[in-house]
Every structure is written in structure tokens, then in C-alpha cells.
Amino acid sequence: MASHIVGYPRMGPKRELKFALESFWDGKSTAEDLEKVATDLRASIWKQMADAGIKYIPSNTFSYYDQVLDTTAMLGAVPERYSWTGGEIGFDTYFSMARGNATVPAMEMTKWFDTNYHFIVPELGPNTKFSYASHKAVNEYKEAKALGVDTVPVLVGPVSYLLLSKPAKGVEKGFPLLSLLSSILPVYKEVIAELKAAGASWIQFDEPTLVLDLDSDKLAAFSAAYAELESVLSGLNVLVETYFADVPAESYKTLTSLSSVTAYGFDLVRGTQTLGLVTSAGFPAGKYLFAGVVDGRNIWADDLATSLSTLQSLEAVVGKDKLVVSTSCSLMHTAVDLVNETKLDSEIKSWLAFAAQKVVEVDALAKALAGQKDEAYFAANAAAQASRKSSPRVTNEEVQKAAAALKGSDHRRGTNVSARLDAQQKKLNLPILPTTTIGSFPQTVELRRVRREYKAKKISEEEYVTAIKEEINKVVKLQEELDIDVLVHGEPERNDMVEYFGEQLSGFAFTANGWVQSYGSRCVKPPIIYGDVSRPNPMTVFWSKTAQSMTSRPMKGMLTGPVTILNWSFVRNDQPRFETCYQIALAIKKEVEDLEAGGIQVIQIDEAALREGLPLRKAEHAFYLDWAVHSFRITNCEIQDTTQIHTHMCYSNFNDIIHSIIDMDADVITIENSRSDEKLLSVFREGVKYGAGIGPGVYDIHSPRIPSAEEIADRIDKMLAVLDTNILWVNPDCGLKTRKYTEVKPALTNMVSAAKLIRTQLASAK
């Protein structure tokens, strides 16, 4: 019985790639240094899977930024503004597309389906010229082969690539991106031919868009694409991999009728209904089924007995020699190796499996199907499953009763937003186009050192508090000098916006090295929600009150919202997600009320990940949005009209959920806008009325580029064309923690100057 891994984490067990990338970007190391780190990481990953007994090992899943950008490079689809003149795409062009440079902005970045991973959105149009411009897929296959590992090269499928793209600037919004299929397939043919010549016997096309609601034209594109590729694919085994949800019946029918395809990969963790299609709608004779039974998106140990039973039922349909045990998706969405967690509670640790352990689980299931079951391994797994179900630390009856009592109320504030804004303005006395930032300020080397030494007990609590207070004071004084209207304390006490809160909530566990890539070199360390959630003590009140005491200007209390904490954590899978979210909402509600009682007049409850959690299928949208929006309202339903509630969202497409955003009933929302070419503004041009305060971001903080005051003023003018003056705020796209002060100071200076310029123009126009 064969085994397969869809993909594997790229950063390395100690985030080796992250540090190599940042060193290269800072000019402290060379391209050769970066490539050496990458080469060593790839070799280690391939060896690990080979040693574990995995038969189908992926290559070309490693990336310096993301796999969609890699495909853009492969196709030579470089936007003109990067002045690429042809040839093999190098780091300069590649990273300019990802991060921008001193003269041109980066390409748009958005969420990869419903994950916290991001990808760079291709910009295409009728005049885009395609050419084979990156030989990465072939080079990495050859690299693995030279090490004695025969891999399955992985490519983003041609149809999914186009469906994940957007019309380039200046191209009609309705431009049919699939019309470019005939233009990109010749490049795919060149790549496939080179892989065949190099000795590849299998090739994997990731076509995750097959799990979406696709109309007949989009489904026809899959048939056309793989029919066109059929001749060059001859002699290769072809796997089309899907993940993250069920494959709809019509998509399943289209996929399984592709004559050039040898094997189909399905996510049987999040796509349980696909299992029914395989067993009831039939499975094509002679084809392989890559059964994704081991969860690639969470950190819980697989229930091996249940998975084995599922595989045995599939074996009866597909045949023993045609069933391959696999992960549900790439393991890049989980942490790297549980072995590195030497301080994790032993009971909780027994419930977990990171990427390295999931590779072993896949192999163990494959061997069990082949009659070589490791009885001791399966028995230990069964004991861990039983331990988790019976552990008293998982359940808190008081929390469960409080969450159950939420039923029957929609938890709205008693006054409408217009009246609340009037009451808040009388108290806050803000100018028109008030300026603010999103929360975090640069996380300097010194600041990280202080937090690290405090955690290691190398400095006292008194020394730590003194250092953090000094940092807050520095950030407050800087904002006053810049003349920003509503201030933030800069979050110097926080390494991560979710981890910080999880560390202070019950029901959470934390890893030392459970890092997961979010984008580029940005890694996050999601907390693990293993039990019922409550707030034993205030979490932010001391720091917010301290910051407010340093200024007469309004100081925002900074919280992470319940939906974002949920979506950016590894969540328990033994109860519905909405039940866990309601528990978190009640904990945050206590914090909001304590902040208000402490004199904080503006409280921001970030819901950066609300859109991210939206199910991939439209039929499931309403239920999710109902409980997600309700969870946010619970957090602030009992505060005074004069307390202003902000929320923040970023790096997703919000236009399709704008009415749910309105239903959140926040007083002010700050939202990413600039990096996505002001796509958000189109919803207001189309007639949506928004009565609360709103701050569409005026510049992209994920690029080192510093926008001019004129550029920002132009953005504000565009916003005023569709939004009322009295509700518009001026702010960056997102928090500033990833930037340097040498970038932040001039960018914020220009932002405030632009706001003042527009205020003057508006005043003179009266």
C-alpha cells in the first residue's frame, strides 16, 4: 500500500528560511547564502519523507515566497512596472513582485482559500506575454534525484492559476481570465516535457478551485486544459489534487472524466461528503485514489482506527493496488516537528501530531492496510484518543452554561450607530478625517531581546515592566510629534496578536517552536485550543491605562476579536467551532468592560480573520457569518454609547460580505484597501451605504516602499468620492510591527500631511 504527502512546511524546524530571507533582504547575506539554506532544507525534507517510507514524495512545494508567485515566475507573467526584460527570473524581480521596491508597489496579497496563508495575486490581461521564465520545478526535481529521491513534481494547475488571478490595472473588470488558457498551456507543455526528459514518472497538479462553486464554463475549462495537455502528459502518471472542502458532484464528475489524469486526490477531513461520492457515484476503474485522511491543517493526532476503517471501505471500491494514503492538504499549514516541544505538557503533547508525526501516521496507515499493522503504535494512539476524551482539563461546566445562555439574544447595542457617533464626537472632539494607526509599531531587536529575556527569567518583572513602559512612552511621543489624532501604545508587550491573548486565557496551550508560515518570511505560532475557554484575569488593562496616562489624546485599547483568535489558532475538533468562538467572545467581553471601566474611551477589537474563515461553498456562508458576526457583537453589547468600538480587517476580499460587516455594528472599521488597488471602494461605488466610521487603508505596510503625501492625498480623494467626509478615517492598511522606524516615520509623516492637506482643501471649498 502506497503513501503520499501533498506538501511540507518550508521554513524549517528552526525557521531557517525566515532568517535567511530577512538577512538577504537586509543586504547582510548573498543570493548564494540564501540558496544554500534553501538547498539544505529541501534535502532534509526529502530525506525525512524517504526515511519514513513515503512512496510519493513531493518536490517544487518549497518556495521563497509562495507557490502562486512561483507559477507567475514560471509563466513569465511579470507586470510591466517591474521592468523585467526577459530571461530567467531572478531574486530582484521575484521579490519586487512580492514586496515592492523603492519605486514601485508590490502585487496584491490575499488569503489562500480559507487559511491564514497568503499568496501574491497574478495580474493578467489580454496583452500579458507568457514565456517559460523559471525552471524551478525541473531544477528541484533534478536536485532531489541527485540525492537518490525520486519525487512527484507539483505544479499549481493551469485552471486554478487563472481562477486565482485578477485583471491587471487598466484591464476591464469583467475580462475573462480563462480566455488566457490557450496562452499559458504552451508554457506548461514545456515544463512537463522537461520533467519527462529528466525522468519524472508522476506529476501533481494542484487544482484546489475544484472545491468551489463553479459554473459550467469554468468546469469546461478543466476538460479543455487537460485534453490539450494529454499528448505531452502521455507516459506520465498524472495526479490532480484538491483540498480544503468537498468536491461538488458536478466537479467530481468533470474531474473523474479527464482521460489524461491517472489519479485524484481528495481532502476527506474537510470533505467528508466527497467520501459519499466515491462510494455512491462510482469511481473510474483503473484510476488511483489519493485519500487525504490525515489532517494537514490541524495538530491533533489522527484517530488511526477511524481512518483505517475509512480506508478499508474505500479499498473495497477502488481496489487495494489503487488506493494511496495521503494527507488532506499540504502540511505547510501545521507546525513542523513535535520533537522540538520539550516543555509542552506531556498529556497535551500525547494528543498532538505536527508535520513530522503526520508523515509517520500516513506511513503507518499505509502499512496497516497492507497487513503490516504496528499494533503498539496503534494502541498508543488509541490510548491518547481516550485520554483526550476523558480529561477533566478539557471541560468547564461554568463556561459551557454561560455560552448556552447566549441563545435567544442577538446582543446588539441599544442605540444606533449614528447616535453613538454623535455622542462619541462630543467626548473625543476629533477633527474631520481623523488619523490613527492599526495597533502595532516596529518590533525592534532590543524589544524582542527584552521579551525573550523576561520569558527566560533572565530579567526581573520590574525590569521588564520598566523597559516596556519606556517603549510605550517612545511610541506615544512619536505619535504626538507626528500629530496623529487617536493613538496606540504600539503593543511592545506582544509577540503576536493571538498568542498574547491565548497565553492569558484558560483552555489554551502553547508551543515553543510551533511556527507556521503566513507569507514570505512572516511566521506565526498559533496557540492550541484544547478545552473550554475563560478569562481568569484582565489581560491588557494595565498597559492601556499606562499608555493613556502618558497623553491627553485618545488611546486605543487593543484587543483581538473572538473570530480571529479562533481562526488563527489550532482549534479543538471535538465540538463545533461556533461553540468555541462564543466562549472566546464572553472572555473578550469581560476585557472590553474592564477597559471601559479603566477610562479607555476607544477600544479596537480586531477581526482580521473574519473573512478568512468564510466557508468555501456559498451554501455554508449564512450560517458561518451569523455566528461569527454575533460573536463580535457579544464582546461589546453592554458598553456605553460614548465608548467607541473599532475593528480591523485585512488581506481578504471583503466586498462579498460587506452587509455582514455592517451587521457587526462597530462604530469604526479600518480595513485593508491600498494593496488591493482600492478594490474595496468599488462596493461603495455600486451603491452600498455605510453609516459607521470607516478607514480604508491609505498605504501598504507589507512593502518597504514609502508613499508620498501626494499619493496618499490622491487615495483620500478617491475615498471621498464614495464616502462621506464625516465618517472617513485615515490610516495604514495594517499594523506596523514588520516595518523599521526608518520606514514608519516618513510614511506616517506623509499620511498626516495628506490628511491635513485634504482638510484644508475641504475647509476652503465651503
Side-chain angles (χ1 to χ4, degrees):
M1 188 60 61
S3 52
H4 167 252
I5 304 297
V6 177
Y8 201 80
R10 306 155 178 162
M11 284 289 122
K14 296 180 180 177
R15 294 181 289 163
E16 290 90 339
L17 182 61
K18 167 190 171 64
F19 299 121
L21 283 167
E22 291 173 353
S23 177
F24 175 70
W25 292 337
D26 289 342
K28 296 176 181 176
S29 61
T30 66
E32 290 74 21
D33 295 328
L34 176 57
E35 288 167 346
K36 173 68 166 59
V37 171
T39 301
D40 290 346
L41 279 173
R42 288 193 295 268
S44 172
I45 290 166
W46 291 326
K47 183 179 185 301
Q48 178 185 354
M49 285 191 263
D51 289 349
I54 301 300
K55 180 175 181 180
Y56 300 113
I57 296 171
S59 61
N60 198 41
T61 58
F62 180 90
S63 178
Y64 289 106
Y65 215 87
D66 83 78
Q67 68 271 29
V68 179
L69 182 61
D70 291 348
T71 310
T72 294
M74 181 185 84
L75 296 169
V78 181
E80 287 185 8
R81 65 181 177 274
Y82 299 108
S83 303
W84 176 63
T85 56
E88 188 81 2
I89 288 177
F91 283 153
D92 283 352
T93 300
Y94 181 86
F95 288 127
S96 289
M97 289 192 287
R99 308 177 72 240
N101 58 42
T103 57
V104 291
M107 295 166 70
E108 180 184 352
M109 181 170 70
T110 196
K111 296 290 174 73
W112 178 244
F113 293 83
D114 59 347
T115 75
N116 187 30
Y117 181 68
H118 301 67
F119 72 97
I120 302 298
V121 182
E123 301 173 11
L124 307 177
N127 298 321
T128 302
K129 301 287 192 296
F130 298 98
S131 63
Y132 188 9
S134 171
H135 292 67
K136 176 179 176 294
V138 177
N139 292 342
E140 288 188 17
Y141 173 79
K142 290 179 178 178
E143 186 182 313
K145 193 172 183 182
L147 296 171
V149 182
D150 188 23
T151 60
V152 179
V154 179
L155 301 176
V156 174
V159 182
S160 288
Y161 176 78
L162 292 176
L163 291 178
L164 293 169
S165 302
K166 70 172 187 178
K169 203 165 188 176
V171 174
E172 284 291 323
K173 184 180 175 183
F175 173 71
L177 292 160
L178 287 174
S179 67
L180 298 173
L181 195 57
S182 60
S183 300
I184 68 171
L185 288 179
V187 179
Y188 273 88
K189 288 179 180 179
E190 288 186 73
V191 179
I192 294 165
E194 282 197 10
L195 287 168
K196 281 174 69 175
S201 57
W202 279 84
I203 187 168
Q204 175 179 320
F205 292 100
D206 281 5
E207 292 281 15
T209 56
L210 277 164
V211 304
L212 304 177
D213 297 304
L214 301 179
D215 59 32
S216 57
D217 288 345
K218 291 184 175 70
L219 290 176
F222 286 95
S223 300
Y226 287 91
E228 177 65 22
L229 293 174
E230 186 161 8
S231 60
V232 73
L233 289 171
S234 177
L236 280 172
N237 290 296
V238 179
L239 165 63
V240 172
E241 185 67 51
T242 68
Y243 36 77
F244 298 151
D246 287 300
V247 175
E250 283 304 308
S251 299
Y252 178 84
K253 184 178 177 182
T254 297
L255 175 58
T256 54
S257 66
L258 299 177
S259 58
S260 59
V261 176
T262 317
Y264 315 101
F266 298 123
D267 181 339
L268 300 181
V269 176
R270 290 183 174 237
T272 52
Q273 292 176 33
T274 304
L275 190 62
L277 285 174
V278 172
T279 55
S280 63
F283 191 79
K287 303 282 185 164
Y288 289 84
L289 171 61
F290 282 57
V293 292
V294 173
D295 192 351
R297 285 186 59 174
N298 218 325
I299 42 66
W300 303 109
D302 188 66
D303 184 337
L304 294 177
T306 299
S307 292
L308 185 58
S309 176
T310 298
L311 290 164
Q312 288 167 337
S313 68
L314 288 169
E315 189 178 57
V317 176
V318 178
K320 184 180 283 288
D321 62 332
K322 298 297 182 184
L323 183 62
V324 178
V325 182
S326 185
T327 54
S328 65
C329 62
S330 172
L331 295 175
M332 66 178 287
H333 304 290
T334 191
V336 179
D337 196 341
L338 196 56
V339 169
N340 298 322
E341 301 305 324
T342 55
K343 297 181 180 178
L344 193 60
D345 177 279
S346 59
E347 182 183 32
I348 292 175
K349 190 174 180 178
S350 74
W351 303 341
L352 307 179
F354 291 179
Q357 288 69 47
K358 289 175 185 292
V359 168
V360 175
E361 289 178 337
V362 167
D363 180 65
L365 286 165
K367 285 177 177 165
L369 269 180
Q372 303 165 31
K373 185 178 180 183
D374 184 335
E375 296 291 351
Y377 183 74
F378 271 71
N381 176 265
Q385 298 294 323
S387 162
R388 186 175 165 217
K389 287 177 182 176
S390 61
S391 176
R393 69 199 306 173
V394 170
T395 305
N396 183 324
E397 288 187 14
E398 185 179 337
V399 171
Q400 292 190 350
K401 285 178 183 176
L406 293 171
K407 295 173 183 175
S409 171
D410 62 3
H411 296 90
R412 293 182 185 276
R413 293 170 76 178
T415 310
N416 67 45
V417 68
S418 178
R420 296 199 308 264
L421 288 173
D422 286 345
Q424 292 155 14
Q425 178 57 16
K426 287 174 184 174
K427 195 167 186 178
L428 297 172
N429 193 29
L430 298 172
I432 61 167
L433 308 180
T435 54
T436 191
T437 63
I438 304 306
S440 61
F441 265 64
Q443 299 267 311
T444 62
V445 172
E446 174 63 17
L447 181 56
R448 293 180 189 277
R449 181 193 64 77
V450 167
R451 284 202 307 262
R452 187 169 59 249
E453 290 187 353
Y454 177 60
K455 211 163 193 175
K457 298 182 179 178
K458 292 181 179 179
I459 61 173
S460 68
E461 182 173 1
E462 183 180 354
E463 289 172 309
Y464 171 74
V465 169
T466 298
I468 297 299
K469 282 183 176 180
E470 287 174 358
E471 183 70 19
I472 291 173
N473 189 57
K474 181 178 79 173
V475 169
V476 169
K477 296 307 177 213
L478 172 61
Q479 291 171 93
E480 288 182 330
E481 289 168 13
L482 294 170
D483 204 16
I484 291 173
D485 300 303
V486 176
L487 311 190
V488 299
H489 76 292
E491 304 177 9
E493 78 284 14
R494 308 177 195 182
N495 179 61
D496 177 87
M497 62 187 287
V498 173
E499 182 181 358
Y500 176 81
F501 290 96
E503 284 178 338
Q504 301 180 78
L505 294 169
S506 64
F508 282 74
F510 288 86
T511 63
N513 296 289
W515 298 99
V516 179
Q517 185 184 20
S518 180
Y519 60 86
S521 68
R522 168 81 170 139
C523 296
V524 294
K525 196 166 55 169
I528 299 165
I529 306 177
Y530 68 84
D532 291 333
V533 178
S534 62
R535 186 203 71 150
N537 299 296
M539 302 178 286
T540 66
V541 177
F542 172 76
W543 296 118
S544 293
K545 288 174 67 176
T546 297
Q548 184 63 82
S549 70
M550 297 174 178
T551 181
S552 60
R553 301 187 184 208
M555 174 64 63
K556 284 197 279 191
M558 301 300 304
L559 305 175
T560 302
V563 185
T564 296
I565 291 176
L566 183 88
N567 285 335
W568 286 358
S569 298
F570 290 125
V571 183
R572 58 190 293 190
N573 57 3
D574 59 345
Q575 71 177 14
R577 288 173 70 86
F578 70 85
E579 290 186 13
T580 302
C581 197
Y582 284 153
Q583 293 178 1
I584 301 170
L586 287 171
I588 299 300
K589 179 176 183 288
K590 288 183 179 180
E591 188 72 11
V592 169
E593 290 166 0
D594 281 352
L595 282 169
E596 182 184 60
I600 304 301
Q601 301 174 54
V602 182
I603 302 170
Q604 182 169 307
I605 309 167
D606 284 348
E607 284 296 13
L610 188 139
R611 173 61 175 77
E612 173 187 310
L614 189 71
L616 300 177
R617 305 289 289 284
K618 290 177 182 174
E620 301 168 19
H621 286 190
F623 177 68
Y624 167 78
L625 289 169
D626 179 66
W627 64 256
V629 169
H630 187 191
S631 295
F632 177 83
R633 289 202 306 264
I634 288 168
T635 65
N636 60 91
C637 62
E638 294 184 8
I639 63 165
Q640 300 172 32
D641 288 354
T642 50
T643 299
Q644 189 167 85
I645 296 296
H646 288 221
T647 191
H648 171 67
M649 296 182 178
C650 57
Y651 300 104
S652 289
N653 179 11
F654 301 104
N655 293 23
D656 55 349
I657 64 163
I658 190 65
H659 293 289
S660 294
I661 292 173
I662 293 170
D663 198 39
M664 291 170 71
D665 199 28
D667 296 311
V668 178
I669 180 170
T670 53
I671 196 162
E672 181 271 325
N673 171 68
S674 62
R675 182 153 183 174
S676 57
D677 291 330
E678 300 162 349
K679 185 163 49 181
L680 172 71
L681 299 186
S682 65
V683 77
F684 302 112
R685 293 189 192 101
E686 291 161 7
V688 170
K689 298 296 181 186
Y690 195 79
I694 183 167
V698 296
Y699 79 90
D700 173 25
I701 64 87
H702 288 296
S703 170
R705 179 175 170 273
I706 298 165
S708 67
E710 292 75 20
E711 179 184 330
I712 295 174
D714 181 59
R715 287 191 185 278
I716 297 171
D717 277 332
K718 289 178 181 176
M719 295 171 190
L720 287 172
V722 292
L723 294 166
D724 291 341
T725 308
N726 62 337
I727 66 169
L728 185 62
W729 286 62
V730 178
N731 47 262
D733 264 353
C734 203
L736 304 171
K737 67 184 296 182
T738 61
R739 301 266 57 88
K740 299 181 177 71
Y741 273 104
T742 52
E743 299 160 345
V744 166
K745 289 179 182 178
L748 291 181
T749 297
N750 292 346
M751 183 187 82
V752 173
S753 296
K756 289 180 176 179
L757 174 65
I758 301 298
R759 286 174 195 161
T760 301
Q761 291 174 353
L762 291 170
S764 62
K766 285 183 179 179

